[in-house]
Amino acid sequence: MSDFSSVPSAPRSRDIWLLQALAADLEEAEYTVNGVAAFLGEDAAAALERDQLVPALLACRAEAEAAAPRRIAVPVQLWLLGETVERAQLDAALPRTGTEGLLELGLIERGRVAGTFRAAVDLRPYGTDDGGTGSAGNPDGDLWVASDLGSHQRPGVLRRDHVLGIGQASLSLAQLTVRAPVGRALDLGTGCGIQTFHLLRHADHVTATDISERALGFTRFNLMLNAPQLDINPEQPGERFTLRLGSLLEPVAGEKFDLAVSNPPFVITPRTGGEGERYTYRDGGLAGDGIVAALVAGLEAVLRPGGTAQMLGNWEIPAGREQDWSARLEEWLPDGTDAWVIQRETLTPPEYAEMWLRDAAQGREREEYAAAYAGYLEDFASRDVGTVGFGSLWLRRRKPGAEPLRRFEDITHPIEQPVGPHLDAAVRRFDWVSACTNLADVHLRVADDVTEERHQRPGAEHPGVILLRQGAGLRRTNLMSTELTGFVSACDGELSVGQIVAALAALLDRPDPEFGENLISEVRNLVLDGFLIPDRW
């Protein structure tokens, strides 16, 4: 079985000494997240985040004119900007590795002019600030990640097995994932290995899979280059990670994991007109939202009881069913799987087509673009798709006898990042409430981030609208009734839920049992959403 250390057209990771030399060179050159930001300055760094290279290029050219140019300008120019550099520049900037070492690792290739070289890959600094608490490595330490060059660095059509780098989706999943310590973790569709970086901070062992051999070659290179920070023994890497080639869950059939994460290639692409053959790296080769459906239905089989999975995805919503968008997802879910799905955005078929045709960055001729656009619309129409939803999915293989958790909600406003710790707390609150035999005996207090907002007409005696707002986590807003507002105002931990409800019933002259039952039900929801916190749980 291949160890993916020498995959054609991917960086090579067999030579441990050479990788260590490169890491030392990059660190000495200050080619780190903070080092690059300081070198470029705020404006040029911000432009680079937008894939605008010119300000950074000007900074590199200015540095080349300095009496003693800083070494950092060369790796920035080479890997971030895709510019050609000379052998003497490379040897001076990265003296341990040198030009020949970079060629041996597959990080550069010869330029058209003799004695010049250009990047064969994108190699950039990365920091793992995701709110995790693992002890492996430095939580905010300097790491480096290789991936394929983007179209802004090397114009042209991306290869079918293009290996994506650090994008907004991968960062979102990293911030979304709950970072509790686990034994075995699965990174399904690893790409260049970003999620494995994060998982190794709190998992004893990570299995990373991908349908692309090149992706696994990039992943192994990245893990081995950053071995000390990720607590990997270069002589025995299998103690910390395993790489598997294959589609979806096939490579791990019959195995069980405590945690699975996936940023799958979920983009919906028409399977006609050649479009479906161009973008395996982003659609996984399946039609419609089939790849998300397959994972939602199948992940339970590779999870231990109580094991969880977190993933990103999009899903088709039939025309006229926008208010009932969760129905298709519920059909995919096995009976024994808990689910919490947060829909963050929806797009119409034309909007979806425009976004992904723009993402392809192919500079097509007008007629070719029009044909591709029409292909998207015809594909969606063939399945009566009205909109496409985007969001995140948290799944859990339910333990026998546990209360089912099924939650589907739209949250389109900005939320706190990383949100993983808040999702973890919310799930633990659900489990606590499910196990609570009598909420009336519990003492509650208002969470520290919660504020109250009142609106009333000028001159009105009482507010017409009272809102409870969260300043942290998912930043929900709850519309309050008069009695629920009174209840929350009394939640300082002194009185039990039952005592406060009884006092409000007497004050409002509502002795009927239904009043207390309805109020406790509303209180339960406030606990689940984190507005109210039990004194002990």
Side-chain angles (χ1 to χ4, degrees), residues 169-208:
S170 56
L171 294 176
S172 295
L173 180 58
Q175 293 172 321
L176 176 75
T177 302
V178 174
R179 299 295 171 192
V182 296
R184 298 193 71 208
L186 171 64
D187 177 8
L188 196 150
T190 186
C192 66
I194 288 300
Q195 304 309 320
T196 295
F197 273 38
H198 292 267
L199 290 171
L200 283 170
R201 294 177 53 201
H202 61 102
D204 296 333
H205 186 276
V206 178
T207 298

Side-chain angles (χ1 to χ4, degrees), residues 143-177:
L143 304 170
W144 298 277
V145 177
S147 62
D148 273 327
L149 292 161
S151 57
H152 62 290
Q153 299 158 303
R154 189 72 51 81
V157 178
L158 301 179
R159 56 185 296 159
R160 182 174 179 271
D161 56 355
H162 179 83
V163 177
L164 290 167
I166 306 164
Q168 188 54 53
S170 56
L171 294 176
S172 295
L173 180 58
Q175 293 172 321
L176 176 75
T177 302

Side-chain angles (χ1 to χ4, degrees), residues 160-429:
R160 182 174 179 271
D161 56 355
H162 179 83
V163 177
L164 290 167
I166 306 164
Q168 188 54 53
S170 56
L171 294 176
S172 295
L173 180 58
Q175 293 172 321
L176 176 75
T177 302
V178 174
R179 299 295 171 192
V182 296
R184 298 193 71 208
L186 171 64
D187 177 8
L188 196 150
T190 186
C192 66
I194 288 300
Q195 304 309 320
T196 295
F197 273 38
H198 292 267
L199 290 171
L200 283 170
R201 294 177 53 201
H202 61 102
D204 296 333
H205 186 276
V206 178
T207 298
T209 72
D210 206 282
I211 196 173
S212 164
E213 189 177 32
R214 289 188 71 245
L216 294 173
F218 273 92
T219 293
R220 189 182 195 278
F221 174 85
N222 289 330
L223 294 174
M224 297 301 286
L225 177 61
N226 298 285
Q229 300 96 309
L230 301 175
D231 196 26
I232 295 170
N233 178 356
E235 302 292 343
Q236 299 290 334
E239 295 176 353
R240 293 282 280 141
F241 71 86
T242 300
L243 305 180
R244 303 270 179 83
L245 179 66
S247 177
L248 297 176
L249 297 168
E250 293 172 2
V252 292
E255 299 184 51
K256 300 295 186 216
F257 298 89
D258 303 294
L259 170 65
V261 302
S262 184
N263 177 22
F266 56 72
V267 178
I268 299 168
T269 307
R271 313 314 298 177
T272 58
E275 290 297 297
E277 302 303 317
R278 298 185 182 188
Y279 307 120
T280 303
Y281 70 92
R282 73 182 196 187
D283 67 22
L286 296 183
D289 51 15
I291 197 165
V292 177
L295 291 176
V296 171
L299 275 166
E300 180 184 278
V302 300
L303 294 175
R304 293 186 174 126
T308 61
Q310 292 185 258
M311 59 181 285
L312 303 180
N314 61 199
W315 39 86
E316 296 179 341
I317 304 171
R321 298 285 299 279
E322 286 76 12
Q323 299 304 313
D324 189 27
W325 61 267
S326 66
R328 292 189 69 244
L329 283 84
E330 293 182 76
E331 292 174 0
W332 300 340
L333 285 163
D335 291 340
T337 298
D338 288 330
W340 182 5
V341 182
I342 299 176
Q343 183 168 265
R344 298 285 287 150
E345 181 184 13
T346 59
L347 294 177
T348 64
E351 291 169 334
Y352 195 91
E354 291 159 17
M355 179 176 69
W356 291 112
L357 285 171
R358 182 171 59 249
D359 175 81
Q362 294 191 63
R364 302 178 180 190
E365 296 294 331
R366 182 173 182 177
E367 288 305 314
E368 184 185 3
Y369 179 88
Y373 197 124
Y376 273 92
L377 300 187
E378 291 168 6
D379 184 57
F380 283 125
S382 70
R383 295 186 297 277
D384 194 31
V385 176
T387 55
V388 179
F390 291 80
S392 64
L393 303 94
W394 174 94
L395 308 172
R396 179 170 63 180
R397 182 176 178 181
R398 190 180 312 125
K399 292 181 179 179
E403 181 178 338
L405 168 56
R406 292 285 175 91
R407 184 165 191 170
F408 302 86
E409 55 185 322
D410 278 291
I411 300 181
T412 58
H413 57 260
I415 59 178
E416 185 180 10
Q417 298 292 355
V419 74
H422 300 284
L423 298 182
D424 181 41
V427 171
R428 288 190 290 112
R429 285 195 302 271

